[in-house]
Amino acid sequence: MNSRTPKGVLRFCWAISLAGMAVFAAVLAAAPALPVEDATFWLLTAGVVVAELFPLRIPRRGDDEAVTIATTFSYALLITSGLPAAIVVQAAASVIQDALVRKPVWRILFNVGQYTLSLGAAALVLHAFAALPVMHGLQGSSLETADFPAVVVGAAAYFLVNATVVGIAVALYRQATVVEYLRSDAAFIAMLAAVLLSLAPVVIASISYSPAMVPLLIAPFVLVHRFVRQSSRAQHAATHDSLTSLANRERFQELVSATIEDRGERAHFAVLLLDLDRFKEINDTLGHHYGDHLLAQVGPRLSLAVRSTDVVARLGGDEFGVLMRDLPAGSRTALEGAERIRAALSQPFDLDGFVVEVDSSIGIAMCPEDGRDIETLLQRADVAMYRAKETHSDYLLYNSDYDHHSPARLALVSDLRQALDRGGIELWYQPKLDLATGAVSGVEALVRWEHPTLGMLQPSAFIDLAERTGLIKPLTHRVLELALTQRRAWLAEGLDLLVAVNVSARSLLDRRFPGEVARLLERYELRPGALKLEITESSIMADPIAATATIGELRTLGIEFGVDDFGTGYSSLAHLRSLPVSELKIDKGFVLRMGSTAGDAAIVRSTIDLGHNLGLRVVAEGVEDADALALLRELGCDEAQGFYIARPMPAPELGPWLSRHRERSATVTPLDARRRLGEGR
């Protein structure tokens, strides 16, 4: 007995089994011997057995449903040979088929019970309407035209009993009402029953006319069987991934939608999305053949890790989906499933002699808590998956705090796209000071967005949005254009300032990015040394191999690199030492607290020493008072920027600020200059 099957289903199925066995025993006790001397009996018996052993598989509602045409022959057997013959033959054929596919005992007995009750109801109706003998059937007599109304009503009785019994069992399993199940499946069930049961008189008439007609009668069934099998194979190819044999994205969406439709308000299930964290590295290093080999091994592992009622799909690339249907209240079962998947994928994979290990990130969305439609559930599982990836968690349940796809955020995406096309993006510039000389060593370009209704937006309001929606590449291109345009204008005014621009992880992973930068420098007739690119530790570590290659190519052009927000990422010293960068920028959080927290002061001091030992210049961000500036100079920091020195400002304001700064520097002693560097805010 399957412990995962709801107890209500088991109790109902055992009740039907006992009722069927009681009817079965009563009929056999009162029945004469089976008509084994009758050729019609054996022909119809063969039809029942063969039809049970070779069911038709019809793809519908996301699942392949097995349909047997044995009903046609068993109903014909009921009419011609009587109820005992029909229930014995149908029960025997059903038990043989169920045993071959290893169904549990309770399901085998339930099938026998529901067939017995359905045939019994039909026999009673046939006897009442046409006085056909319940026990003997026609027994050599022919089916008269006057008997056909009774045959139709008997078929209706068979259909109603069978549909009701099966409907209650399915409804209990799905935790839905019988009405909901019948409403969702009534058309298909009725049409199928009408076709199969209406063929019974045709079978009887053909056999009565001549046994030689039997091969001609079987031929259409064989052709239908072959046609359905070929159609099923074509349907399987269209709805399954050829590499892993798992369901594809379209099939997965059909499954989720069908589950929502079938369960209605009682739907309670989970959608899990996962991808392989180092798949691209394996593909790039070993080649696509090994990547495909890995994916082919992932499929079976996922299938073995989930329950038999769950569905696994490959959604594309290295992304997979899991539908966990019929969950109890709460999310524990979904979390347990995610843990089994994590454990299954944590074991090494042997790729033709190369042993590799991969990590996975899993996002979980629950129905109905996180959504009641396919689009919402997939989108929220995707949000949870990327949050798991960002936080280096194995799996996470969806939380609205992770979601950047609210209607307001989506509207902001549209506005940002228009701003990139029509204007609205601008740059402000914050000076950087050389602490040894007090001179301005360069400026950092900081992006701003003049939104038509929200006003001037800081980067924190839209950079993350651009990262998540694919707009970061056109945004980076626009920022570079604006920065280099301004750099060219300053040169025309006799102002030679190094401009630093922040670039994202996506830019570092884009092998076309170096060529894009080179073309922009050529367009604005600027030497590569006029531009510095600032990158974060996390952007480097997203894909160290690809990032290092991109940085190296840009360094070959002569472009300087700095590591921004150093100390907040997770890069190793080995990676830092191997990167062709010339500058470290200490994160402003440490600088802001270094006057009050000994630990932060120690971090700042250690970072300065580390940078110098690696031959790098060190820049401190977040300088907001004179004491911080003095301490940084005492520690040997090379450059500084922050509100105490100057706030970010539009390009037209930078020239006057520089003039004031030079005037102050020329009218004070060197000692006073060092003390008063920040008074020009």
Side-chain angles (χ1 to χ4, degrees):
M1 185 178 296
N2 190 343
S3 61
R4 292 185 181 132
T5 304
K7 291 182 179 179
V9 177
L10 294 175
R11 285 195 291 265
F12 175 76
C13 289
W14 279 115
I16 293 298
S17 300
L18 292 174
M21 285 188 285
V23 172
F24 194 98
V27 169
L28 292 186
L34 298 180
V36 294
E37 73 288 346
D38 185 8
T40 299
F41 168 78
W42 288 111
L43 287 173
L44 293 176
T45 295
V48 173
V49 174
V50 172
E52 280 287 347
L53 291 177
F54 299 97
L56 306 178
R57 305 202 67 85
I58 300 177
R60 60 182 302 269
R61 306 181 63 79
D63 285 308
D64 282 344
E65 183 163 327
V67 174
T68 174
I69 60 175
T71 304
T72 297
F73 296 98
S74 62
Y75 190 47
L77 198 58
L78 170 67
I79 296 170
T80 59
S81 302
L83 181 60
I87 61 175
V88 168
V89 171
Q90 179 62 71
S94 177
V95 169
I96 292 170
Q97 164 62 13
D98 289 350
L100 287 175
V101 297
R102 301 179 182 275
K103 287 185 180 179
V105 172
W106 66 269
R107 287 192 61 184
I108 295 176
L109 295 178
F110 170 76
N111 284 337
V112 171
Q114 58 105 351
Y115 279 131
T116 300
L117 295 177
S118 300
L119 288 168
L124 292 176
V125 169
L126 287 169
H127 180 70
F129 279 79
L132 291 178
V134 173
M135 297 298 174
H136 299 277
L138 293 175
Q139 289 282 323
S141 302
S142 61
L143 190 64
E144 303 294 336
T145 304
D147 297 327
F148 278 96
V151 171
V152 172
V153 178
Y158 181 101
F159 163 70
L160 289 174
V161 172
N162 187 267
T164 301
V165 170
V166 174
I168 292 174
V170 174
L172 288 171
Y173 181 80
R174 295 179 178 177
Q175 298 179 341
T177 66
V178 179
V179 174
E180 288 172 341
Y181 164 72
L182 291 177
R183 184 168 57 236
S184 65
D185 266 20
F188 174 79
I189 295 172
M191 180 183 68
L192 181 65
V195 171
L196 296 180
L197 293 170
S198 64
L199 285 174
V202 177
V203 171
I204 295 171
S206 300
I207 294 176
S208 299
Y209 180 78
S210 171
M213 294 291 292
V214 173
L216 297 178
L217 182 66
I218 293 175
F221 285 107
V222 172
L223 290 175
V224 169
H225 189 275
R226 290 178 61 86
F227 174 76
V228 171
R229 286 190 64 184
Q230 291 175 355
S231 297
S232 297
R233 288 171 183 162
Q235 177 75 4
H236 186 278
T239 57
H240 286 73
D241 172 56
S242 59
L243 181 63
T244 62
S245 295
L246 299 175
N248 59 18
R249 178 178 288 274
E250 290 75 16
R251 181 66 176 277
F252 187 73
Q253 291 176 333
E254 289 176 6
L255 282 162
V256 177
S257 297
T259 302
I260 295 170
E261 183 180 346
D262 289 346
R263 274 62 165 182
E265 293 297 319
R266 293 175 176 80
H268 199 283
F269 60 89
V271 171
L272 284 68
L273 292 188
L274 66 105
D275 69 6
L276 309 178
D277 291 344
R278 290 199 292 272
F279 178 72
K280 184 178 185 300
E281 182 180 335
I282 293 170
N283 241 0
D284 293 344
T285 304
L286 299 178
H288 290 283
H289 167 73
Y290 290 94
D292 289 347
H293 194 13
L294 172 62
L295 293 174
Q297 291 187 46
V298 167
R301 287 202 192 183
L302 291 177
S303 298
L304 290 173
V306 302
R307 306 172 306 167
S308 60
T309 55
D310 299 337
V311 179
V312 181
R314 182 187 176 201
L315 306 184
D318 63 329
E319 187 177 48
F320 294 84
V322 179
L323 170 61
M324 300 185 68
R325 293 183 280 200
D326 301 308
L327 297 181
S331 57
R332 179 176 298 277
T333 305
L335 291 173
E336 291 172 351
E339 174 58 29
R340 289 196 303 271
I341 290 171
R342 183 210 62 78
L345 297 181
S346 66
Q347 301 301 313
F349 291 84
D350 186 348
L351 308 181
D352 294 336
F354 290 97
V355 178
V356 300
E357 296 183 359
V358 298
D359 296 323
S360 62
S361 301
I362 306 173
I364 309 168
M366 305 293 299
C367 177
E369 295 89 337
D370 300 325
R372 291 181 177 273
D373 61 85
I374 175 65
E375 292 80 9
T376 301
L377 288 168
L378 288 176
Q379 181 264 321
R380 292 182 172 175
D382 187 65
V383 167
M385 181 182 74
Y386 276 98
R387 180 62 177 175
K389 190 180 295 291
E390 290 171 355
T391 58
H392 306 288
S393 303
D394 293 322
Y395 46 84
L396 283 177
L397 285 165
Y398 169 79
N399 187 306
S400 58
D401 292 341
Y402 309 154
D403 203 341
H404 298 268
H405 293 82
S406 64
R409 297 283 283 184
L410 293 175
L412 203 61
V413 171
S414 177
D415 294 342
L416 179 57
R417 186 174 284 108
Q418 292 185 32
L420 289 170
D421 293 338
R422 304 174 187 174
I425 301 298
E426 58 185 81
L427 296 184
W428 287 24
Y429 300 90
Q430 186 173 37
K432 296 163 62 177
L433 292 183
D434 186 315
L435 295 185
T437 65
V440 175
S441 57
V443 293
E444 180 179 1
L446 301 169
V447 66
R448 298 289 188 268
W449 176 15
E450 183 65 46
H451 192 277
T453 58
L454 301 177
M456 186 63 72
L457 298 182
Q458 301 287 321
S460 58
F462 60 91
I463 290 296
D464 184 60
L465 188 69
E467 288 271 11
R468 292 176 179 274
T469 57
L471 291 177
I472 193 64
K473 288 185 179 180
L475 178 60
T476 300
H477 184 85
R478 181 59 180 154
V479 167
L480 286 170
E481 281 185 324
L482 292 172
L484 295 179
T485 298
Q486 187 59 56
R487 180 75 170 85
R488 182 76 259 172
W490 280 332
L491 279 178
E493 297 171 6
L495 188 60
D496 191 3
L497 281 176
L498 177 65
V499 179
V501 174
N502 292 280
V503 295
S504 70
R506 288 182 182 267
S507 295
L508 292 181
L509 300 180
D510 184 0
R511 297 311 304 270
R512 296 169 296 181
F513 183 63
E516 178 185 335
V517 174
R519 285 190 294 273
L520 287 173
L521 288 169
E522 183 178 359
R523 181 197 304 174
Y524 295 104
E525 299 179 345
L526 293 170
R527 57 184 176 81
L531 177 67
K532 176 176 286 186
L533 298 179
E534 295 187 356
I535 54 181
T536 62
E537 293 176 83
S538 57
S539 67
I540 299 168
M541 295 307 295
D543 190 334
I545 296 175
T548 302
T550 302
I551 295 171
E553 192 171 341
L554 287 163
R555 282 289 292 124
T556 301
L557 295 175
I559 294 173
E560 296 289 325
F561 272 87
V563 178
D564 197 11
D565 298 335
F566 184 76
T568 62
Y570 48 92
S571 63
S572 67
L573 291 180
H575 276 110
L576 181 62
R577 183 178 59 187
S578 64
L579 286 173
V581 299
S582 59
E583 178 182 282
L584 287 186
K585 294 186 75 173
I586 307 172
D587 181 67
K588 64 181 180 181
F590 301 120
V591 177
L592 288 172
R593 297 187 299 267
M594 69 179 181
S596 58
T597 306
D600 288 315
I603 290 174
V604 172
R605 180 183 298 107
S606 299
T607 303
I608 293 172
D609 292 341
L610 172 65
H612 289 164
N613 288 333
L614 293 174
L616 308 176
R617 290 180 64 79
V618 181
V619 181
E621 299 180 286
V623 178
E624 296 198 352
D625 55 54
D627 291 339
L629 193 64
L631 180 56
L632 288 168
R633 185 181 295 108
E634 180 182 330
L635 294 175
C637 189
D638 300 298
E639 298 178 17
Q641 66 184 96
F643 287 178
Y644 180 70
I645 298 167
R647 291 178 178 271
M649 62 191 80
E653 296 180 14
L654 185 63
W657 183 90
L658 288 170
S659 297
R660 292 195 301 272
H661 176 73
R662 283 193 293 266
E663 290 173 2
R664 285 193 304 273
S665 299
T667 57
V668 298
T669 65
L671 177 61
D672 289 334
R674 288 195 297 270
R675 290 174 177 170
R676 297 171 59 188
L677 277 172
E679 294 179 3
R681 284 183 293 167

